[in-house]
Amino acid sequence: GAGEVIRARTLTVGLLNASQVHPREAFADAITDRAAAVVFVHNHPSGSLEPSAPDLAITRQLEEAGELLGIQVLDHLIISKKGHRSLKQARIL
């Protein structure tokens, strides 16, 4: 409840243009750690900060799974050499 980072974890290492992630794995450690909330972060090696259709789909899946589990998804960030983009600030989350 203090809003402190418990731990940063790598969920998956993707290929050149895709990365598979499933809500089951995404929340497994958060459940073990009894986390109240999570922030997801992924990179775009292309440099684009625009969320792709798969990015938007997995964000919605993660948000729905978090609601069922009682673990709030605070944000989903996209990072690249050009900077970062918060899906919460973009009002996508």
Side-chain angles (χ1 to χ4, degrees):
E4 295 181 16
V5 174
I6 296 172
R7 187 164 307 157
R9 294 203 169 92
T10 301
L11 296 177
T12 182
V13 177
L15 302 172
L16 179 63
N17 63 349
S19 182
Q20 296 278 335
V21 65
H22 191 278
R24 175 182 54 244
E25 284 79 24
F27 284 97
D29 289 327
I31 292 167
T32 300
D33 291 340
R34 309 281 193 275
V38 293
V39 174
F40 293 104
V41 181
H42 79 278
N43 73 317
H44 278 185
S46 68
S48 171
L49 293 173
E50 290 301 313
S52 65
D55 292 341
L56 297 174
I58 191 61
T59 299
R60 286 190 175 51
Q61 286 181 347
L62 293 170
E63 190 173 30
E64 289 172 8
E67 286 178 17
L68 288 171
L69 295 168
I71 301 173
Q72 183 181 6
V73 177
L74 296 176
D75 206 343
H76 185 166
L77 302 171
I78 298 171
I79 59 171
S80 79
K81 291 180 181 179
K82 295 180 181 178
H84 71 279
R85 176 134 190 213
S86 161
L87 297 188
K88 182 171 184 160
Q89 280 185 332
R91 300 188 192 274
I92 295 169
L93 183 66

